[in-house]
Amino acid sequence: MIIEKREYHQMTSTFTYDVPEEEIINTFGSVDSFMDHYAEETDEFYDFMCDFDYDREDDLWTDRKGGYEVDWEIQDEQ
Protein backbone atom coordinates (compact mmCIF):
# COMPACT_ATOMS: atom_id res chain seq x y z
CA MET A 1 0.00 0.00 0.00
CA ILE A 2 1.36 3.41 -0.97
CA ILE A 3 0.53 6.19 1.47
CA GLU A 4 1.52 9.80 0.81
CA LYS A 5 1.71 12.57 3.38
CA ARG A 6 1.77 16.19 2.19
CA GLU A 7 2.77 19.10 4.40
CA TYR A 8 2.00 22.66 3.27
CA HIS A 9 4.59 25.05 4.68
CA GLN A 10 5.44 28.72 4.50
CA MET A 11 8.97 30.01 4.58
CA THR A 12 10.94 33.21 4.49
CA SER A 13 14.02 33.38 2.23
CA THR A 14 16.67 36.00 2.99
CA PHE A 15 19.15 36.92 0.23
CA THR A 16 22.28 38.80 1.36
CA TYR A 17 24.33 40.64 -1.30
CA ASP A 18 27.77 42.19 -0.82
CA VAL A 19 27.84 44.87 -3.54
CA PRO A 20 30.98 47.02 -3.89
CA GLU A 21 30.18 50.73 -3.67
CA GLU A 22 32.42 51.34 -6.71
CA GLU A 23 30.10 49.16 -8.83
CA ILE A 24 27.09 51.14 -7.64
CA ILE A 25 28.74 54.44 -8.52
CA ASN A 26 29.96 53.15 -11.91
CA THR A 27 26.44 52.04 -12.84
CA PHE A 28 24.21 54.68 -11.25
CA GLY A 29 26.55 57.67 -10.95
CA SER A 30 26.14 57.92 -7.17
CA VAL A 31 24.88 56.04 -4.15
CA ASP A 32 21.99 58.53 -3.89
CA SER A 33 20.90 57.72 -7.45
CA PHE A 34 21.12 54.01 -6.62
CA MET A 35 18.94 54.56 -3.55
CA ASP A 36 16.32 56.27 -5.74
CA HIS A 37 16.25 53.23 -8.04
CA TYR A 38 16.08 50.95 -4.99
CA ALA A 39 13.16 52.88 -3.49
CA GLU A 40 11.23 52.83 -6.76
CA GLU A 41 12.18 49.21 -7.53
CA THR A 42 13.12 50.08 -11.09
CA ASP A 43 14.06 47.61 -13.81
CA GLU A 44 17.57 49.06 -13.73
CA PHE A 45 17.85 48.18 -10.04
CA TYR A 46 16.75 44.57 -10.63
CA ASP A 47 18.99 44.18 -13.69
CA PHE A 48 21.96 45.49 -11.68
CA MET A 49 21.32 43.14 -8.76
CA CYS A 50 21.17 40.11 -11.07
CA ASP A 51 24.91 40.51 -11.70
CA PHE A 52 25.85 39.73 -8.10
CA ASP A 53 25.97 36.53 -6.09
CA TYR A 54 24.22 36.23 -2.78
CA ASP A 55 24.05 34.08 0.32
CA ARG A 56 20.62 32.56 0.82
CA GLU A 57 19.09 31.55 4.13
CA ASP A 58 15.71 29.83 4.21
CA ASP A 59 13.60 29.87 7.35
CA LEU A 60 10.88 27.23 7.13
CA TRP A 61 9.11 28.85 10.06
CA THR A 62 5.95 26.74 9.93
CA ASP A 63 8.16 23.69 10.43
CA ARG A 64 9.63 25.23 13.59
CA LYS A 65 6.37 26.60 14.98
CA GLY A 66 3.80 24.14 13.70
CA GLY A 67 0.64 25.51 12.16
CA TYR A 68 0.99 23.90 8.77
CA GLU A 69 -1.64 21.86 6.94
CA VAL A 70 -1.21 18.13 6.45
CA ASP A 71 -3.15 15.73 4.30
CA TRP A 72 -2.84 12.03 3.66
CA GLU A 73 -3.68 10.00 0.56
CA ILE A 74 -3.75 6.27 -0.01
CA GLN A 75 -2.77 5.36 -3.55
CA ASP A 76 -4.37 2.45 -5.42
CA GLU A 77 -1.77 -0.09 -6.44
CA GLN A 78 -3.59 -1.08 -9.62
Side-chain angles (χ1 to χ4, degrees):
M1 179 181 294
I2 304 296
I3 301 173
E4 290 182 346
K5 176 185 176 187
R6 289 184 195 87
E7 296 180 354
Y8 302 91
H9 291 275
Q10 292 184 355
M11 79 176 180
T12 301
S13 297
T14 302
F15 301 81
T16 303
Y17 297 80
D18 185 8
V19 180
E21 193 170 307
E22 307 86 53
E23 293 289 329
I24 292 171
I25 294 169
N26 288 340
T27 302
F28 293 94
S30 69
V31 173
D32 288 338
S33 176
F34 170 77
M35 295 304 291
D36 291 340
H37 284 272
Y38 161 76
E40 296 174 20
E41 298 183 13
T42 65
D43 290 340
E44 291 85 356
F45 169 77
Y46 285 111
D47 291 344
F48 175 75
M49 293 306 295
C50 286
D51 291 337
F52 295 94
D53 289 331
Y54 53 82
D55 292 323
R56 178 178 178 158
E57 182 179 325
D58 293 327
D59 179 10
L60 194 62
W61 52 272
T62 51
D63 199 31
R64 289 186 294 109
K65 295 184 177 192
Y68 53 89
E69 299 289 323
V70 176
D71 66 32
W72 296 84
E73 183 177 342
I74 296 176
Q75 302 287 323
D76 287 334
E77 293 189 43
Q78 299 175 6

